DNA sequence: CAACGACATGTAGAAGTTGACACGTGACGG
DNA sequence: CCGTCACGTGTCAACTTCTACATGTCGTTG
C-alpha cells in the first residue's frame, strides 16, 4: 500500500498528471524512500480515482489527465502518516550488497567499498551544490519553504550521505587493519578490480583491537 | 533477484536450514538491507538447489534440511557483488512516511518526528549495548572478526542511526523555527498525538534563515 | 501419556512490481 | 509537410512478495 500513499503525498503537495507525478517521484522519493515505474503510477492513479481518494480535475492535450487529492484522500493519507506499523519494510539493494561483502576476499571488498564511498561523495557534492544554489525552480528540486517536501528530503540526504560514506571508509580501515595484522604480505596496496579509483582513502586509524570502534557515539 | 543473493550471502557465511536462515535473516539483513518472510526463504532455497547454487548437505529431525552453498553459488554471488546495477532499488516505508510529513500540520509532524527520533535512539542504545558487550555468541549477533558479516552490519547501524536521529531533530528545529516565525501563537508546545514522550528534544538552534543548515558537512 | 508450545516446512491465492511492448500527440527542424 | 523526438498514457505476461492457512514433530510439563 505504500505506493498509494506516496502518490497521495505527492498529490497533497500539488495536483498533477501521471507523467508529471512520475517525474516528481523520480526526483524526490526514488532515491531514499520508494521506487516505482511509470506504469505503476498510472494504474494506481486510476485506482485512487476509483476509490474516491483522488479525482480528475482537468483533461488536457494528448489525453493528459490532471489528478488532485480529495478530502477523503487527505484523511486517508493523514491516517497512514499518524499510524506507523510496528515493522515497516525496508529493501535496499545497495546496502544488501555492502553487507555481503565478506563473501569476497579483502582486496575485492575494499575496492567495492572505495567505489561506493566515491559514488556517495559524488551524490553528496551534487546535493550540496543544489542546496547552496538556494534559489531553484520550485519544480526542480528543493523548495525554500522549510516545511516543504523537498526541504526535508534534502536535509535527509545531507545527513545520511556523509554517514554512509563514513561507514564505507570505516569498513575500509577495518579491512586494512585485518589484512595488515594477519596477512601482512598483501594488505594495503592498490586494488584495481572494477575500476576503483582510490579517491575515498582515509588517513589515520591504525588502531583496532577487534571490537567495533571509531564510530560516532550516541 | 536480491532475495536469492541475500540467501547465498548468508549461506556463504555458514550453511543452515530454512528455519535457521530465516532467523539469521531477521537478525541481520531485515532492518537495513532486505526484508523477506519465512515462506519466501523456503521457496528460494528450493530454487537455489534446483539451480545448483546450493545443495542439501544434511537432513535432520523434523524434515530439517541443511543447505550449503556450492561452488557455482559462490561464483554467482561473487559476480553479483562485483557488478552492481546502475540504479538499485530502494524501498523504505519509514523514510517514505517521514518525507510525506509536510502533509500533516506542524505540530503533528513534530510529534511523529519526535517519536521517530526516540525510537531510533532506542535502537541505537540497544545496538551500542550489544557491541560493547563485545563477547557475544557468534550466532547471536556481531562476530568478533572485523571482516565478518555482523561486524559490518553493526558498524553500519552505529553510523547510520545517529545520522537518522540527528536528521529528525534537525527537522524538528526546522518546524519550530517555521511555526515560531509565521505562526507564533501555536508553535512549540507539547504535542501529545500518538504518545510522543518528548525524550528526543533538542536544545539550542534558534537560528534558521530559510536554507538548509546545521547539517554535517562533507 | 495427553496437552501444549516452540520448532520446522510448506501450499495457495491475491496483491504488488517489472520489463517489454504499443500507440497516439505536439513541437520543431529541414 | 515530413521525419523525428520528447511527451503522455496505457496493456500484458512474468515474476516477486504477502497473507493466510496447513501439517507434522519434538520436548516439556502435569
Amino acid at each position: 500500500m505504500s505506493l498509494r500513499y506516496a502518490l497521495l503525498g505527492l498529490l497533497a503537495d500539488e495536483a498533477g498528471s501521471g507523467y508529471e507525478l512520475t517525474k516528481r517521484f523520480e526526483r524526490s522519493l526514488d532515491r531514499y524512500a520508494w521506487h516505482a515505474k511509470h506504469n505503476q503510477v498510472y494504474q494506481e492513479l486510476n485506482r485512487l480515482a476509483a476509490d474516491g481518494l483522488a479525482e480528475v480535475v482537468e483533461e488536457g492535450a494528448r489525453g493528459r489527465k490532471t489528478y488532485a487529492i480529495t478530502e477523503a484522500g487527505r484523511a486517508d493519507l493523514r491516517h497512514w502518516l499518524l499510524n506507523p506499523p510496528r515493522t515497516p519494510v525496508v529493501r535496499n539493494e545497495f546496502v544488501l550488497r555492502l553487507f555481503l561483502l565478506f563473501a569476497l576476499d579483502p582486496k575485492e571488498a575494499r575496492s567495492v567499498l572505495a567505489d561506493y564511498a566515491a559514488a556517495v561523495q559524488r551524490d553528496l557534492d551534487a546535493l550540496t551544490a543544489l542546496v547552496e544554489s538556494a534559489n531553484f525552480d520550485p519544480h526542480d528540486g528543493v523548495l525554500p519553504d522549510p516545511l516543504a517536501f523537498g526541504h526535508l528530503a534534502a536535509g535527509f540526504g545531507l545527513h545520511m550521505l556523509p554517514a554512509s560514506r563514513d561507514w564505507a571508509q570505516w569498513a575500509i580501515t577495518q579491512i586494512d587493519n585485518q589484512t595488515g595484522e594477519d596477512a601482512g604480505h598483501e594488505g594495503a596496496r592498490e586494488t584495481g578490480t572494477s575500476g576503483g579509483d582510490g579517491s575515498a582513502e582515509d588517513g589515520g586509524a591504525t588502531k583496532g583491537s577487534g571490537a567495533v570502534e571509531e564510530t560516532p557515539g550516541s
Side-chain angles (χ1 to χ4, degrees), chain A:
Chain A
M1 298 264 72
S2 293
L3 170 63
R4 156 158 295 199
Y5 293 106
L7 283 173
L8 282 179
L10 291 179
L11 287 175
D13 191 32
E14 195 177 354
S17 67
Y19 187 81
E20 198 190 333
L21 288 162
T22 301
K23 299 260 287 275
R24 275 203 268 158
F25 216 107
E26 282 163 7
R27 243 186 286 114
S28 52
L29 298 177
D30 202 70
R31 183 178 296 270
Y32 310 114
W34 204 263
H35 173 79
K37 312 262 185 214
H38 79 276
N39 51 0
Q40 236 182 320
V41 170
Y42 287 116
Q43 284 177 40
E44 192 61 38
L45 283 172
N46 280 331
R47 266 179 243 139
L48 245 22
D51 294 349
L53 305 181
E55 56 186 348
V56 177
V57 291
E58 189 195 328
E59 307 210 15
R62 294 180 236 184
R64 178 197 193 98
K65 282 180 282 184
T66 303
Y67 291 84
I69 192 169
T70 63
E71 271 317 304
R74 269 184 209 283
D76 203 19
L77 173 60
R78 209 181 110 84
H79 180 263
W80 181 80
L81 286 171
L82 291 173
N83 296 280
R86 339 85 211 135
T87 52
V89 167
V90 172
R91 286 203 172 89
N92 191 327
E93 201 183 307
F94 258 124
V95 176
L96 176 60
R97 204 175 300 267
L98 296 173
F99 276 24
L100 299 183
L101 283 180
F102 70 87
L104 296 174
D105 42 313
K107 63 179 191 176
E108 286 172 332
R110 193 187 193 288
S111 167
V112 172
L113 283 166
D115 288 352
Y116 174 72
V120 170
Q121 184 62 52
R122 279 195 296 278
D123 285 352
L124 180 55
D125 290 343
L127 182 57
T128 304
L130 180 67
V131 168
E132 276 172 2
S133 77
N135 35 3
F136 355 69
D137 179 341
H139 290 282
D140 216 346
V142 183
L143 295 158
D145 174 4
L147 266 183
F149 178 68
H151 190 76
L152 290 178
F156 191 80
L158 291 178
H159 278 82
M160 299 308 271
L161 289 173
S164 183
R165 174 203 58 199
D166 292 348
W167 171 80
Q169 290 176 345
W170 165 85
I172 288 173
T173 67
Q174 298 292 116
I175 290 177
D176 288 348
N177 290 345
Q178 163 93 347
T179 54
E181 276 166 22
D182 56 52
H185 49 290
E186 67 157 18
R189 63 163 190 260
E190 205 42 26
T191 53
T193 312
S194 83
D197 62 6
S199 73
E201 242 79 338
D202 191 344
T206 27
K207 46 189 187 302
S209 55
V212 176
E213 284 172 17
E214 301 164 52
T215 55
S218 119

